[in-house]
Amino acid sequence: MAPRQHHEQATRDFSLEEYLALQHVIYHVSEALRQVAPTERLSILSLGSQLC
């Protein structure tokens, strides 16, 4: 899952409200996945790199 606009820094490029809204969606998608494919653990990663 990723936002439609490009963002490099999760805490700089999002307002607090945008960041929390994204986390809200991630939570619900994660719970839906966990219900379909029970697992011991579910990890959430924020991956990226700085543009030169």
Side-chain angles (χ1 to χ4, degrees), residues 8-26:
E8 290 185 22
Q9 299 288 329
T11 58
R12 179 189 70 198
D13 295 344
F14 289 97
S15 69
L16 177 58
E17 292 78 18
E18 291 169 328
Y19 180 80
L20 293 175
L22 179 60
Q23 291 301 317
H24 183 82
V25 172
I26 290 169

Side-chain angles (χ1 to χ4, degrees), residues 23-42:
Q23 291 301 317
H24 183 82
V25 172
I26 290 169
Y27 175 85
H28 287 288
V29 169
S30 298
E31 280 300 298
L33 288 171
R34 195 174 60 80
Q35 296 299 318
V36 173
T39 183
E40 180 179 319
R41 139 184 342 112
L42 179 68

